Amino acid sequence: MDKDTIGCPHIFTWEQFQRALHYTKKYYGMDAPYFYRTLDAELEGRDQPITIHNRLMFEDFCKRLLFSDRSASKYMEQIPQEEIAIIWALMFVEWGLLCEWQKGQDDDYTLDDYYTDNPNDYYQYHMREELLKTYFFCKQTPIRSRKTNEIVLTINKFNSYSKKLTLPNFENWVLRCALLQYCESHLEDIHSVEEAQKALDAYHEKGRKANEMIERIIYGTYTMFKDVSKDTRTVSSGLCRIIQNYLLYLGLITTDSDAGLDLQNIAGRIKYLLKQGKQPRFSPYILRGKEAQEALRKSGHNTFKDLMK
C-alpha cells in the first residue's frame, strides 16, 4: 500500500458510516476502531460525521474497481442501487488498512499503554495463546510419582520489584491439577496435546502475513458481493475481476499475474477456502459487552470472566 498517495477525503454521515460498518464487520471483521487514528478520536466521534481518505474520488474509485471491463460491469448490474454501502465498505477497508499502518508508526501510544487502559481486552485477545502454552507445558512435563517435583515461581525477574517462590510440588500437583484444570476449564475446544499444538502453530505460522491479508480481502469481498447480488454461482469471472482489481488497487499484488493471482487462480483460492471451511477475517479491534461474549462463545473460548475485575 502506497501510503503517500492517499489524499482524497470523503465525508460520511454517521448513518452512512453505520451502513458501511455493517458490511466491514460482517464480511471483513473490521469494527469501528479500525477507522479512527486514535482511541480518543473514536470516543469523540460518536454520532459525528467521519472523514476517511482514499487514493481516488468516488467516481474514479468505482470506474477503476467495479466497471473496469465488461465482465465486472455486467456483474455490477446484479447489485441493487440501494446497496451502495458495499462500495463505501471497500473504501473504508482501504482507509482501515492505512490507519492500522499509521498506528504501528505511533511511538507515543504503545500497545502496552492500550492494555493498561483496557486490561479486559488483553485477556480476550491474548489469554488463549498463553493458556495453550501453559496447557502444553503441563501435559508435557513428567510426573515423579510419590515424590516432590520442585517448582520455582518468579515474577518480574528483571524489574526492581521481584519475587520468587519455591514449592516442593508433591507429585507435581501444581501442573497436574491446579494449572492444568484451570487451562482445561478455559480451553473448552482443546482435548489433547495434539490439538493444543495445532492451535499454537496457527499463532506462529511464518511467511503468511501478506498471504493472510490477501485471503481476508478475497474472502470478504467475495462473500459480500455474492450475498448482495444474490449470485447463485460458486464463482463468476466478473466477481473475480472485481477482487483482482481491488487487490491491485490496495497494492497487495502489483500485476494481474502477481503471485499467480490471475482470475483463474483467484477462483481457485475461493473454491479452496470454501472447501476447507476457512473464513479468514481481520480480528475485531475491540469487542465489548454481549458482542465480546458471543464472539468468544462461538469460537469455543471461555470469556475469562474470572479475570475481568
Side-chain angles (χ1 to χ4, degrees):
M1 176 177 285
D2 185 356
K3 319 304 189 295
D4 299 325
T5 61
I6 300 187
C8 299
H10 298 85
I11 301 175
F12 291 84
T13 66
W14 181 255
E15 291 73 21
Q16 290 172 330
F17 174 40
Q18 295 307 303
R19 287 183 62 193
L21 187 61
H22 167 76
Y23 289 112
T24 63
K25 289 173 65 176
K26 181 177 181 180
Y27 296 105
Y28 296 95
M30 284 186 169
D31 53 1
Y34 272 91
F35 311 118
Y36 292 95
R37 294 174 189 252
T38 66
L39 293 172
D40 289 340
E42 181 200 356
L43 295 173
E44 295 170 1
R46 296 196 178 280
D47 298 319
Q48 301 297 318
I50 179 172
T51 300
I52 68 173
H53 293 78
N54 301 98
R55 290 174 181 76
L56 300 174
M57 297 304 291
F58 182 79
E59 293 78 9
D60 295 330
F61 183 92
C62 293
K63 183 177 180 180
R64 177 168 171 177
L65 271 66
L66 309 176
F67 300 95
S68 61
D69 62 10
R70 183 177 178 182
S71 65
S73 299
K74 189 173 179 61
Y75 192 90
M76 288 303 297
E77 293 176 1
Q78 305 174 80
I79 309 293
Q81 289 187 351
E82 59 269 21
E83 294 289 358
I84 189 175
I86 67 169
I87 304 176
W88 300 342
L90 296 178
M91 299 170 73
F92 268 92
V93 168
E94 178 193 2
W95 174 242
L97 294 178
L98 177 64
C99 287
E100 284 301 288
W101 179 84
Q102 290 175 328
K103 288 170 185 173
Q105 308 305 305
D106 183 7
D107 294 328
D108 296 330
Y109 192 81
T110 66
L111 190 60
D112 284 341
D113 293 329
Y114 172 76
Y115 285 131
T116 298
D117 296 337
N118 303 271
N120 289 359
D121 291 328
Y122 181 87
Y123 293 119
Q124 292 176 9
Y125 295 126
H126 296 277
M127 194 63 178
R128 176 172 169 82
E129 182 179 5
E130 293 183 16
L131 286 176
L132 284 167
K133 291 179 180 178
T134 305
Y135 174 91
F136 195 87
F137 182 75
C138 291
K139 296 289 282 188
Q140 292 291 87
T141 302
I143 298 173
R144 299 174 67 224
S145 181
R146 302 197 191 112
K147 297 181 182 295
T148 58
N149 298 255
E150 185 176 282
I151 189 169
V152 179
L153 304 178
T154 304
I155 190 167
N156 295 328
K157 183 176 181 180
F158 300 107
N159 293 353
S160 56
Y161 175 79
S162 176
K163 294 192 72 173
K164 183 171 71 172
L165 174 66
T166 301
L167 297 173
N169 190 29
F170 186 74
E171 288 198 328
N172 201 26
W173 71 266
V174 175
L175 302 186
R176 179 173 54 85
C177 301
L179 283 179
L180 181 59
Q181 290 179 16
Y182 185 85
C183 292
E184 290 174 338
S185 70
H186 288 74
L187 299 172
E188 299 173 347
D189 58 331
I190 300 298
H191 306 97
S192 66
V193 169
E194 291 74 22
E195 290 180 355
Q197 185 64 67
K198 185 177 180 180
L200 274 174
D201 289 343
Y203 283 98
H204 303 292
E205 287 183 332
K206 296 183 179 180
R208 283 189 50 82
K209 273 199 169 182
N211 193 51
E212 287 175 353
M213 180 81 74
I214 289 173
E215 286 188 350
R216 292 166 186 164
I217 297 299
I218 288 177
Y219 188 78
T221 307
Y222 166 77
T223 51
M224 180 172 69
F225 274 78
K226 196 168 185 297
D227 285 355
V228 171
S229 67
K230 302 296 191 295
D231 185 5
T232 58
R233 293 166 292 180
T234 302
V235 183
S236 70
S237 59
L239 182 50
C240 287
R241 172 63 72 186
I242 290 171
I243 293 171
Q244 185 189 63
N245 289 343
Y246 196 33
L247 292 171
L248 284 165
Y249 174 75
L250 294 174
L252 294 176
I253 59 177
T254 56
T255 70
D256 60 7
S257 61
D258 188 25
L261 281 174
D262 54 19
L263 299 184
Q264 185 175 357
N265 187 273
I266 289 175
R269 284 203 181 200
I270 292 171
K271 292 176 181 177
Y272 172 79
L273 292 172
L274 296 175
K275 183 178 180 180
Q276 297 297 316
K278 296 177 66 177
Q279 299 179 345
R281 297 279 198 278
F282 292 90
S283 298
Y285 209 86
I286 298 176
L287 292 174
R288 296 186 176 94
K290 292 181 180 179
E291 185 180 2
Q293 295 177 12
E294 182 66 11
L296 290 168
R297 184 190 66 77
K298 286 183 178 179
S299 62
H301 306 171
N302 191 283
T303 57
F304 313 122
K305 283 183 180 180
D306 53 328
L307 298 169
M308 297 183 183
K309 298 177 180 178

